[in-house]
Amino acid sequence: MRVDVVTIFPEVFDQVLSSSMLGIARGKGLLEFCAHDLRDWAIPGVHRQVDDAPYGGGPGMVMRPEPFRAAVRAVSALDAREPVVVLMTPQGVPLTQRLVERLATSERMLLLCGRYEGVDERVRGLADIEVSIGDYVLSGGELPAMVLIDAVARLLPGVLGGEDSTAEESFSWGLLEYPHYTRPASFEGEDVPEVLLSGDHARIRRWRREQAIRRTARSRPDLLLGADLTLDERAIADDERSRATSRDKEGL
Ligand code: ADE
């Protein structure tokens, strides 16, 4: 996959995109990445201007549409593959694992990062999709773009070791992930659950599924609405919810 980013801070991507899994993905040629400086398409003039005061008044500056329009044209033309153009914005659709999986099937993404108080409304027309990483406002789209690249890159075939390494993790069942343990079997009075040492794989599978349901019921009950649970599993979720409710009542 090829990923291009248009930003006024192209240098902030260097470290993150060269380290760890992303660095390895690039080293293996599974991920091509290029950050482009929006100011290369600035309004002509000494200040390399990319923003301006808002029409109608108000505080702060708004990013102008022309540099983004020129950048999308020029960067798209760098490769024969048509990119999915993504605008990072708190007004976008929430980034979910399902959306990440969809984006991971594309051959190319072009991410647009806004800054300041916002971007001119006409920039939105350049994007195929607008994406938010959560219900909070960051000072720019660069960190959200890195989050998106990381989430997508780890799904590209060959990037992570085993085929199964992403199959059972959080959200892939529509649930949070079950607890993991490694050595030592006992640590400062906390023991690894006996079932995990039993070698009984059917029992281990059942235990993990139950733990995932209980954890989801505790931390993210909203996810249970869309999860595919049997009647017995629904009962486990209800049990965990009622325990959580009584803990709340006791002020814990
Ligand atoms: N830019 C600023 N805040 C953002 C958010 N929460 N998601 C995506 N882009 C953003």
Side-chain angles (χ1 to χ4, degrees):
M1 168 182 276
R2 173 173 174 147
V3 179
D4 292 281
V5 174
V6 172
T7 165
I8 56 167
F9 295 117
E11 67 284 355
V12 305
F13 288 85
D14 293 345
Q15 182 89 37
V16 171
L17 270 293
S18 310
S19 312
S20 186
M21 172 213 67
L22 291 167
I24 293 168
R26 292 174 77 188
K28 287 184 182 169
L30 301 168
L31 176 70
E32 290 167 73
F33 175 77
C34 197
H36 307 269
D37 190 344
L38 181 67
R39 291 192 196 279
D40 292 347
W41 296 278
I43 308 299
V46 281
H47 298 300
R48 301 181 80 205
Q49 193 185 350
V50 292
D51 61 351
D52 217 322
Y55 278 120
M61 301 288 268
V62 175
M63 296 184 88
R64 291 179 55 143
E66 310 96 307
F68 277 110
R69 149 60 72 206
V72 169
R73 279 216 182 104
V75 173
S76 296
L78 293 176
D79 191 291
R81 290 166 286 186
E82 186 77 22
V84 178
V85 181
V86 184
L87 176 64
M88 307 311 302
T89 164
Q91 285 92 43
V93 297
L95 184 64
T96 58
Q97 192 63 23
R98 189 170 296 178
L99 178 54
V100 169
E101 284 162 11
R102 247 180 60 209
L103 290 170
T105 64
S106 65
E107 293 189 305
R108 190 177 175 207
M109 295 194 298
L110 168 48
L111 311 184
L112 307 179
C113 303
R115 274 264 144 188
Y116 310 124
E117 272 64 33
V119 295
D120 186 283
E121 191 65 12
R122 291 162 290 185
V123 173
R124 296 179 53 201
L126 303 173
D128 298 307
I129 182 167
E130 298 171 41
V131 172
S132 164
I133 64 159
D135 291 342
Y136 39 81
V137 181
L138 299 166
S139 55
E142 286 76 15
L143 288 169
M146 288 187 226
V147 168
L148 175 56
I149 296 167
D150 189 290
V152 167
R154 60 193 292 286
L155 297 188
L156 300 178
V159 169
L160 293 186
E163 288 288 294
D164 293 342
S165 45
T166 60
E168 284 197 4
E169 64 190 8
S170 288
F171 308 115
S172 60
W173 284 343
L175 299 170
L176 300 183
E177 206 169 338
Y178 52 77
H180 295 277
Y181 290 89
T182 184
R183 274 188 269 274
S186 183
F187 174 66
E188 297 189 347
E190 286 192 77
D191 294 342
V192 173
E194 174 276 322
V195 56
L196 296 179
L197 311 176
S198 70
D200 181 342
H201 293 292
R203 233 180 105 214
I204 291 172
R205 235 188 338 271
R206 277 199 306 277
W207 180 85
R208 285 180 166 165
R209 177 99 183 153
E210 175 169 342
Q211 293 300 312
I213 293 165
R214 289 193 180 280
R215 182 173 269 185
T216 308
R218 279 196 305 272
S219 304
R220 291 291 307 278
D222 55 303
L223 292 177
L224 291 173
L225 292 173
D228 189 11
L229 301 187
T230 64
L231 281 178
D232 285 351
E233 289 175 340
R234 287 269 160 218
I236 292 171
D238 290 345
D239 173 58
E240 194 61 42
R241 288 299 297 150
S242 58
R243 281 170 198 243
T245 310
S246 39
R247 272 196 302 270
D248 287 350
K249 282 195 187 129
E250 287 161 20
L252 296 174

